[in-house]
Amino acid sequence: MSNKALAEEASSVLSEVRGFTVEAIEKIGVGGLETIILDLGLVGGARSVVVVLPPRTQLNLKNSRRALAAGLEALEAGGREAKFAIIIYSRGGRVTMPAYLYLGLAGSRLGGEIVIVNGPPGEVREVLRALKAFGRVYVREDRVYPAKIL
């Protein structure tokens, strides 16, 4: 995946999160996985970042650890709050069962929200709206995000 394609993907997400303050945009490479981080500051009382991955990234255990590390690095750089939310975004991406379980355990142990979004960029906006409204991420009963778990 070229840097240009990753930048275009981040730009698509950025256009969808208008209305939220983007405090910083940073490119972070973690162990060979290139990411662009959108730091949104506080959303619903949670320090929030979006980890943008190239489209169709398979989040296996290794890549999920790298994506989480990039998100945590961005949180630490801005002074990590007690409450945080990391949204890992890869349009058309897939998640392996070990990665899904790892990210769930990591979120539980770290006391934060870790959300995987693999649909269109508008789904990132929906997650942020829920976070802003409720202080945590709730999936509406009428909307189930298609988590493509392998």
Side-chain angles (χ1 to χ4, degrees):
M1 175 64 47
S2 71
N3 287 334
K4 182 179 177 187
L6 181 58
E8 288 172 359
E9 200 65 17
S11 178
S12 295
V13 174
L14 194 55
S15 70
E16 289 293 334
V17 297
R18 54 188 180 270
F20 292 92
T21 302
V22 178
E23 295 186 358
I25 300 173
E26 180 179 10
K27 184 174 181 195
I28 298 178
V30 183
L33 181 66
E34 294 298 317
T35 67
I36 293 181
I37 307 293
L38 305 177
D39 187 340
L40 300 168
L42 289 177
V43 176
R47 178 79 194 295
S48 304
V49 297
V50 179
V51 179
V52 180
L53 303 174
R56 294 170 297 285
T57 297
Q58 181 175 326
L59 272 179
N60 53 27
L61 188 56
K62 190 175 189 180
N63 281 342
S64 65
R65 291 178 66 172
R66 290 171 175 171
L68 179 59
L72 290 172
E73 183 177 326
L75 290 172
E76 294 293 333
R80 185 166 169 227
E81 303 290 324
K83 192 172 165 187
F84 70 89
I86 297 174
I87 300 169
I88 301 173
Y89 176 73
S90 175
R91 182 174 37 91
R94 296 192 177 274
V95 184
T96 64
M97 185 59 75
Y100 181 80
L101 295 172
Y102 167 75
L103 291 171
L105 178 64
S108 175
R109 289 224 172 134
L110 296 171
E113 302 276 340
I114 300 174
V115 182
I116 303 162
V117 176
N118 52 18
E123 288 184 2
V124 173
R125 181 184 62 243
E126 289 181 32
V127 169
L128 290 169
R129 282 184 179 163
L131 183 61
K132 184 177 182 181
F134 303 112
R136 66 174 312 223
V137 177
Y138 286 101
V139 177
R140 299 183 333 227
E141 288 181 23
D142 65 334
R143 178 68 169 112
V144 176
Y145 293 114
K148 298 172 188 135
I149 301 173
L150 301 174

